[in-house]
């Protein structure tokens, strides 16, 4: 069983939209921070967005600000990444991950090593020009 289960993704034309989902069966899901990541050249993964348990704080990479929106529905144990106005450079595998830090008033897309300890399987997003 995967720590986090992802769905969504697929193939869209430039300017199109996709919504990614990230879910877990943990009864504590509503108490964990969730981050979204994608690979980058020379790095394993870079942060795209994150959201705190109560949705009181969100963070976005500059490259996706104004286009992506992160949200969550704790009653459904699900975090979403709504991706609008997609660009070919967004083509990548996207991963969600969970941060169990007790201090969850804020979140970061530049985490310390090992901060996000549970990961989803990744989902492919492909944007054609």
């Amino acid at each position: 069983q995967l720590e986090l289960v992802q769905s969504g993704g697929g193939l869209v034309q430039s300017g199109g939209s996709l919504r990614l989902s990230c879910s877990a069966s943990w009864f504590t899901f509503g108490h964990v921070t969730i981050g979204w990541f994608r690979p980058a050249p020379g790095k394993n993964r870079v942060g795209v967005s994150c959201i705190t348990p109560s949705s009181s704080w969100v963070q976005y990479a500059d490259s996706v600000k104004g286009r992506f929106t992160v949200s969550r529905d704790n009653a459904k144990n699900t975090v979403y990444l709504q991706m609008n106005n997609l660009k070919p450079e967004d083509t990548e595998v996207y991963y969600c991950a969970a941060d169990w830090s007790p201090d969850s008033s804020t979140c970061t897309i530049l985490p310390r090593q090992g901060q996000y300890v549970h990961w989803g399987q990744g989902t492919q997003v492909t944007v054609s020009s």
Side-chain angles (χ1 to χ4, degrees), residues 2-9 20-23 33-40 43-51 68 70 79-81 83 90-99 108-109 111 116-125:
L2 294 169
E3 297 95 340
L4 294 160
V5 178
Q6 299 180 227
S7 62
L20 307 184
S21 297
C22 174
S23 300
T33 290
I34 299 294
W36 291 93
F37 301 84
R38 65 189 183 190
K43 302 290 183 180
N44 52 353
R45 293 168 184 170
V46 295
V48 176
S49 184
C50 66
I51 185 168
F68 290 11
V70 65
V79 170
Y80 305 98
L81 186 66
M83 302 182 293
D90 296 318
T91 296
E92 195 48 88
V93 178
Y94 288 74
Y95 298 85
C96 65
D99 172 13
T108 179
I109 59 173
Y116 287 87
V117 296
H118 294 108
W119 292 80
Q121 81 277 19
T123 186
Q124 177 70 49
V125 170

